Amino acid sequence: MPIEKPALTPELCYSAESLRRFLFLSRSLTDDTISADLNSIPTVKESKILGSGSSWTKPEREKIGSRRRACKDFVYSSVFESWNVRDEILEYCNKIANERKSEISATAAKKPKVDPRLDPYEARDLPTYTKEEEILSWVASEKGVEDIVRDRSWSIICERCLDIGTDSASGATPVVGDNGSGWRPAFQTWKNSKLH
């Protein structure tokens, strides 16, 4: 179940504790509960057995199709939506920190340089961007956490859902642990479909 995205402001990035709590809560409500949320959907093995039998009746085949749609709907509307919101937050804070660093660097470049032998304390008055470096550091850290969480979640999704983790052209399931490449194409395709 996705939670509401906080209103993004630069101040929110500078006081990152609330954003980090939001990211933690979003992961715990979406990714940490994936197994429980997918319990009503058949596993790949069960579905292949049920779907491959030509002796299955039309209502039984429709039930499998209905479960496939339910699984895709859950992944697209809950999991991918949550991932997208978290990406937006991280990208926003990354952009804010980089823009602020550029502004500070431009201000420092305009300030006349004084020889440190004449005024050794001049450097203390130069603007710094320590806070911006902190933001960039926690954003990079959170992106690393996202990759790990998404790899694990995608592994569970591929085990439980049909046609989610497959390459539609070849029907082959991507390797999930291969630098997260399994979830990236599916997530990007979903994001692209939202733009059109």
Side-chain angles (χ1 to χ4, degrees), residues 90-109:
L90 294 174
E91 289 308 314
Y92 176 80
C93 288
N94 195 57
K95 178 181 148 215
I96 291 296
N98 280 318
E99 285 175 358
R100 182 69 181 129
K101 275 182 74 170
S102 296
E103 290 170 11
I104 292 169
S105 295
T107 302

Side-chain angles (χ1 to χ4, degrees), residues 55-74:
S55 65
W56 293 99
T57 64
K58 184 177 179 183
E60 289 168 330
R61 284 194 299 274
E62 286 174 357
K63 189 174 180 183
I64 294 298
S66 167
R67 288 181 176 172
R68 287 178 180 165
R69 282 189 299 280
C71 186
K72 280 187 178 183
D73 288 347
F74 167 74

